[in-house]
Amino acid sequence: MTTSTSPRPVRFGVVGAGFIAQWFAEAVAQEPAARIVAVASARPERARDFAQRHGVPHAHAGFDEMLHAHGPSSADPIDVVYIASPNTLHAAQTIASLEAGLHVLVEKPFALSPIEAKAMVESARVAGRFLMEAWLPAFEPGVARLREVLPRLGRVHRAVLVKEQFSSRMGAYRAGELPAAFDPARGGGSLMDLGVYPVSLAIHLFGTPDRVTATGQLLDSGADSHGTVVRLFVFEGVVGGAYRRF
Protein backbone atom coordinates (compact mmCIF):
# COMPACT_ATOMS: atom_id res chain seq x y z
CA MET A 1 0.00 0.00 0.00
CA THR A 2 1.28 3.48 -0.91
CA THR A 3 0.74 6.26 1.59
CA SER A 4 0.68 9.81 0.26
CA THR A 5 2.90 12.29 2.08
CA SER A 6 1.54 15.30 0.20
CA PRO A 7 0.00 17.96 2.45
CA ARG A 8 -3.69 18.60 2.01
CA PRO A 9 -4.60 21.53 -0.22
CA VAL A 10 -5.15 24.97 1.29
CA ARG A 11 -8.93 25.35 1.56
CA PHE A 12 -10.34 28.71 0.52
CA GLY A 13 -13.66 30.38 1.17
CA VAL A 14 -14.35 33.07 -1.43
CA VAL A 15 -16.33 36.21 -0.59
CA GLY A 16 -17.78 37.82 -3.71
CA ALA A 17 -18.60 36.35 -7.10
CA GLY A 18 -17.57 39.15 -9.46
CA PHE A 19 -14.96 39.03 -12.20
CA ILE A 20 -12.01 39.32 -9.79
CA ALA A 21 -13.25 36.28 -7.86
CA GLN A 22 -13.73 34.46 -11.17
CA TRP A 23 -10.09 35.10 -12.07
CA PHE A 24 -9.04 33.85 -8.65
CA ALA A 25 -11.01 30.64 -9.11
CA GLU A 26 -9.40 30.07 -12.51
CA ALA A 27 -5.97 30.44 -10.92
CA VAL A 28 -6.82 28.07 -8.05
CA ALA A 29 -7.94 25.48 -10.59
CA GLN A 30 -4.36 25.43 -11.92
CA GLU A 31 -2.83 24.86 -8.47
CA PRO A 32 -3.09 21.35 -6.95
CA ALA A 33 -2.08 22.72 -3.53
CA ALA A 34 -5.24 24.83 -3.25
CA ARG A 35 -8.98 24.38 -3.65
CA ILE A 36 -12.10 26.43 -3.07
CA VAL A 37 -14.50 24.91 -0.55
CA ALA A 38 -17.17 27.62 -0.44
CA VAL A 39 -18.30 30.87 -2.03
CA ALA A 40 -20.53 33.59 -0.60
CA SER A 41 -22.32 36.49 -2.24
CA ALA A 42 -24.96 38.95 -1.13
CA ARG A 43 -26.74 37.84 -4.30
CA PRO A 44 -27.36 34.09 -3.76
CA GLU A 45 -27.95 33.40 -7.44
CA ARG A 46 -24.45 34.67 -8.24
CA ALA A 47 -22.94 32.43 -5.57
CA ARG A 48 -24.78 29.42 -6.98
CA ASP A 49 -23.65 30.24 -10.53
CA PHE A 50 -20.06 30.69 -9.36
CA ALA A 51 -20.14 27.37 -7.50
CA GLN A 52 -21.53 25.51 -10.50
CA ARG A 53 -19.06 27.10 -12.92
CA HIS A 54 -15.98 26.36 -10.82
CA GLY A 55 -16.95 23.11 -9.11
CA VAL A 56 -17.23 24.65 -5.64
CA PRO A 57 -19.19 22.37 -3.29
CA HIS A 58 -20.86 25.04 -1.13
CA ALA A 59 -22.60 28.31 -2.08
CA HIS A 60 -23.84 30.71 0.58
CA ALA A 61 -26.14 33.71 0.70
CA GLY A 62 -23.71 36.06 2.37
CA PHE A 63 -20.43 36.29 4.24
CA ASP A 64 -21.81 35.58 7.73
CA GLU A 65 -23.50 32.39 6.57
CA MET A 66 -20.27 31.08 5.04
CA LEU A 67 -18.22 31.98 8.11
CA HIS A 68 -20.67 30.15 10.38
CA ALA A 69 -20.76 27.06 8.16
CA HIS A 70 -17.03 26.68 7.58
CA GLY A 71 -15.23 27.75 10.73
CA PRO A 72 -12.19 25.84 12.05
CA SER A 73 -14.34 23.46 14.12
CA SER A 74 -16.96 22.82 11.43
CA ALA A 75 -17.43 19.60 9.48
CA ASP A 76 -16.07 21.19 6.29
CA PRO A 77 -13.69 23.95 7.40
CA ILE A 78 -11.81 26.49 5.35
CA ASP A 79 -8.30 27.71 6.07
CA VAL A 80 -8.23 31.06 4.27
CA VAL A 81 -10.91 33.60 3.42
CA TYR A 82 -10.31 35.30 0.08
CA ILE A 83 -12.14 38.64 0.18
CA ALA A 84 -13.20 40.04 -3.19
CA SER A 85 -16.21 41.98 -1.94
CA PRO A 86 -16.84 45.73 -2.40
CA ASN A 87 -14.08 47.97 -1.03
CA THR A 88 -16.17 49.28 1.86
CA LEU A 89 -16.50 45.73 3.28
CA HIS A 90 -12.84 44.76 3.24
CA ALA A 91 -11.97 45.88 6.77
CA ALA A 92 -15.03 44.50 8.56
CA GLN A 93 -14.95 41.14 6.77
CA THR A 94 -11.21 40.79 7.26
CA ILE A 95 -11.44 41.42 11.00
CA ALA A 96 -14.42 39.05 11.38
CA SER A 97 -12.54 36.31 9.51
CA LEU A 98 -9.42 36.73 11.62
CA GLU A 99 -11.42 36.70 14.83
CA ALA A 100 -13.03 33.46 13.65
CA GLY A 101 -9.57 31.89 13.49
CA LEU A 102 -9.09 32.05 9.73
CA HIS A 103 -6.28 33.44 7.61
CA VAL A 104 -7.15 36.19 5.13
CA LEU A 105 -6.17 37.19 1.61
CA VAL A 106 -7.94 40.48 0.87
CA GLU A 107 -8.20 42.14 -2.51
CA LYS A 108 -6.83 45.59 -3.17
CA PRO A 109 -7.37 48.14 -1.89
CA PHE A 110 -6.40 46.61 1.45
CA ALA A 111 -8.45 49.21 3.32
CA LEU A 112 -10.00 52.64 2.82
CA SER A 113 -8.05 54.44 5.53
CA PRO A 114 -5.00 54.08 7.78
CA ILE A 115 -7.32 53.53 10.75
CA GLU A 116 -8.95 50.54 9.03
CA ALA A 117 -5.60 49.12 7.94
CA LYS A 118 -4.11 49.35 11.43
CA ALA A 119 -7.17 47.66 12.93
CA MET A 120 -6.89 44.81 10.42
CA VAL A 121 -3.19 44.29 11.13
CA GLU A 122 -3.78 44.39 14.87
CA SER A 123 -6.55 41.79 14.55
CA ALA A 124 -4.17 39.50 12.65
CA ARG A 125 -1.51 39.97 15.32
CA VAL A 126 -3.90 39.20 18.18
CA ALA A 127 -5.37 36.18 16.38
CA GLY A 128 -1.98 34.90 15.26
CA ARG A 129 -3.23 34.55 11.70
CA PHE A 130 -1.82 35.38 8.27
CA LEU A 131 -3.13 38.52 6.56
CA MET A 132 -2.06 39.79 3.15
CA GLU A 133 -3.30 42.06 0.40
CA ALA A 134 -3.78 40.27 -2.93
CA TRP A 135 -1.33 42.58 -4.69
CA LEU A 136 0.02 40.38 -7.48
CA PRO A 137 3.03 42.43 -8.69
CA ALA A 138 5.02 41.55 -5.55
CA PHE A 139 5.25 37.98 -6.86
CA GLU A 140 5.72 38.58 -10.57
CA PRO A 141 9.07 37.46 -12.06
CA GLY A 142 9.61 40.84 -13.71
CA VAL A 143 9.32 42.68 -10.39
CA ALA A 144 11.60 40.14 -8.73
CA ARG A 145 14.19 40.83 -11.42
CA LEU A 146 13.77 44.58 -10.92
CA ARG A 147 14.40 44.20 -7.18
CA GLU A 148 17.52 42.22 -8.02
CA VAL A 149 19.09 44.76 -10.38
CA LEU A 150 17.89 47.99 -8.74
CA PRO A 151 20.91 48.26 -6.37
CA ARG A 152 23.20 48.44 -9.40
CA LEU A 153 21.81 51.92 -10.14
CA GLY A 154 23.20 53.37 -6.94
CA ARG A 155 21.40 56.48 -5.75
CA VAL A 156 17.99 56.80 -7.37
CA HIS A 157 17.02 60.48 -7.57
CA ARG A 158 13.77 60.07 -9.46
CA ALA A 159 11.56 57.16 -10.49
CA VAL A 160 8.38 57.52 -12.51
CA LEU A 161 5.77 54.76 -12.24
CA VAL A 162 2.68 55.11 -14.39
CA LYS A 163 -0.60 53.21 -14.56
CA GLU A 164 -3.00 54.58 -17.16
CA GLN A 165 -6.12 52.70 -18.16
CA PHE A 166 -9.53 53.67 -19.44
CA SER A 167 -11.99 52.32 -16.89
CA SER A 168 -14.13 49.43 -18.08
CA ARG A 169 -17.01 51.07 -16.18
CA MET A 170 -16.66 54.50 -17.81
CA GLY A 171 -19.33 53.71 -20.41
CA ALA A 172 -21.88 52.98 -17.68
CA TYR A 173 -20.91 56.15 -15.81
CA ARG A 174 -21.33 58.31 -18.90
CA ALA A 175 -24.71 56.68 -19.49
CA GLY A 176 -25.93 58.02 -16.14
CA GLU A 177 -25.22 55.02 -13.90
CA LEU A 178 -23.00 55.13 -10.82
CA PRO A 179 -20.78 52.03 -10.71
CA ALA A 180 -18.96 51.39 -7.44
CA ALA A 181 -15.66 52.40 -9.08
CA PHE A 182 -17.05 55.94 -9.49
CA ASP A 183 -18.82 56.22 -6.14
CA PRO A 184 -16.75 57.68 -3.26
CA ALA A 185 -19.30 56.35 -0.75
CA ARG A 186 -18.38 52.82 -1.88
CA GLY A 187 -14.63 53.35 -1.86
CA GLY A 188 -14.45 54.24 -5.55
CA GLY A 189 -12.07 56.45 -7.49
CA SER A 190 -8.99 55.93 -9.63
CA LEU A 191 -6.57 55.76 -6.70
CA MET A 192 -8.42 52.87 -5.05
CA ASP A 193 -9.21 51.16 -8.35
CA LEU A 194 -5.96 51.40 -10.33
CA GLY A 195 -3.67 53.89 -8.60
CA VAL A 196 -2.80 51.36 -5.91
CA TYR A 197 -0.59 49.60 -8.46
CA PRO A 198 2.04 52.32 -9.04
CA VAL A 199 1.75 53.61 -5.46
CA SER A 200 2.28 50.15 -3.97
CA LEU A 201 5.09 49.37 -6.40
CA ALA A 202 6.91 52.59 -5.49
CA ILE A 203 6.77 51.67 -1.80
CA HIS A 204 7.68 48.06 -2.59
CA LEU A 205 10.82 49.14 -4.42
CA PHE A 206 11.88 52.28 -2.55
CA GLY A 207 10.47 51.91 0.96
CA THR A 208 8.37 54.05 3.26
CA PRO A 209 8.15 57.70 2.15
CA ASP A 210 9.33 60.60 4.26
CA ARG A 211 6.76 62.90 2.73
CA VAL A 212 3.88 62.52 0.28
CA THR A 213 2.10 65.14 -1.81
CA ALA A 214 -0.72 64.46 -4.24
CA THR A 215 -2.96 66.12 -6.79
CA GLY A 216 -6.10 64.83 -8.44
CA GLN A 217 -9.07 65.71 -10.60
CA LEU A 218 -12.60 64.92 -9.50
CA LEU A 219 -15.57 63.75 -11.52
CA ASP A 220 -19.08 65.06 -10.92
CA SER A 221 -19.67 62.04 -8.68
CA GLY A 222 -16.90 63.25 -6.37
CA ALA A 223 -14.59 60.35 -7.25
CA ASP A 224 -11.06 61.05 -8.44
CA SER A 225 -10.62 60.39 -12.16
CA HIS A 226 -6.82 60.63 -12.20
CA GLY A 227 -3.99 62.15 -10.24
CA THR A 228 -0.32 62.24 -9.35
CA VAL A 229 1.36 61.18 -6.13
CA VAL A 230 4.88 62.30 -5.27
CA ARG A 231 6.71 60.37 -2.61
CA LEU A 232 9.83 62.13 -1.32
CA PHE A 233 12.70 60.52 0.52
CA VAL A 234 15.93 61.89 1.90
CA PHE A 235 19.23 60.06 2.11
CA GLU A 236 22.62 61.55 3.02
CA GLY A 237 21.28 65.03 2.41
CA VAL A 238 20.04 64.25 -1.10
CA VAL A 239 16.34 64.57 -1.87
CA GLY A 240 14.86 62.05 -4.29
CA GLY A 241 11.37 61.23 -5.39
CA ALA A 242 9.16 58.50 -6.76
CA TYR A 243 6.37 59.88 -8.94
CA ARG A 244 3.24 57.82 -9.61
CA ARG A 245 0.55 58.86 -12.02
CA PHE A 246 -2.78 57.06 -12.16
Side-chain angles (χ1 to χ4, degrees), residues 144-164:
R145 179 62 176 159
L146 186 57
R147 288 197 305 268
E148 180 183 337
V149 302
L150 195 59
R152 300 180 189 176
L153 299 179
R155 289 178 174 175
V156 177
H157 296 282
R158 177 176 295 181
V160 179
L161 296 88
V162 178
K163 173 69 175 181
E164 293 185 309

Side-chain angles (χ1 to χ4, degrees), residues 1-2 4 31 48 54 58-59 64 89 95 99 114 127 156 167 170 177 184 188 192 204 206 241 245:
M1 181 179 69
T2 302
S4 174
E31 176 50 67
R48 291 192 296 267
H54 299 287
H58 303 284
D64 292 336
L89 300 177
I95 291 171
E99 291 178 346
V156 177
S167 175
M170 180 59 79
E177 300 177 26
M192 291 298 185
H204 184 73
F206 302 108
R245 187 167 71 250

Side-chain angles (χ1 to χ4, degrees), residues 27-209:
V28 169
Q30 303 300 314
E31 176 50 67
R35 69 185 180 94
I36 299 175
V37 171
V39 59
S41 174
R43 297 169 59 181
E45 69 280 3
R46 295 189 69 180
R48 291 192 296 267
D49 178 71
F50 183 101
Q52 183 177 15
R53 180 180 304 181
H54 299 287
V56 176
H58 303 284
H60 296 281
F63 167 76
D64 292 336
E65 181 180 300
M66 185 186 78
L67 210 61
H68 178 75
H70 301 283
S73 61
S74 66
D76 199 1
I78 57 180
D79 304 303
V80 185
V81 178
Y82 168 68
I83 297 176
S85 55
N87 297 348
T88 51
L89 300 177
H90 287 187
Q93 291 180 344
T94 291
I95 291 171
S97 299
L98 293 166
E99 291 178 346
L102 301 169
H103 306 286
V104 176
L105 178 64
V106 57
E107 265 300 334
K108 58 86 183 169
F110 185 78
L112 297 185
S113 70
I115 292 175
E116 285 188 351
K118 290 176 182 178
M120 293 158 70
V121 171
E122 177 63 13
S123 293
R125 187 193 67 78
V126 171
R129 292 296 181 266
F130 178 83
L131 167 63
M132 188 176 76
E133 182 181 37
W135 186 66
L136 184 61
F139 303 95
E140 291 177 341
V143 174
R145 179 62 176 159
L146 186 57
R147 288 197 305 268
E148 180 183 337
V149 302
L150 195 59
R152 300 180 189 176
L153 299 179
R155 289 178 174 175
V156 177
H157 296 282
R158 177 176 295 181
V160 179
L161 296 88
V162 178
K163 173 69 175 181
E164 293 185 309
Q165 181 175 327
F166 187 77
S167 175
S168 60
R169 279 84 85 192
M170 180 59 79
Y173 177 74
R174 288 178 171 174
E177 300 177 26
L178 186 58
F182 292 89
D183 186 357
R186 291 186 283 174
S190 64
L191 176 60
M192 291 298 185
D193 190 32
L194 297 173
V196 294
Y197 288 107
V199 170
S200 294
L201 185 58
I203 295 172
H204 184 73
L205 295 176
F206 302 108
T208 303

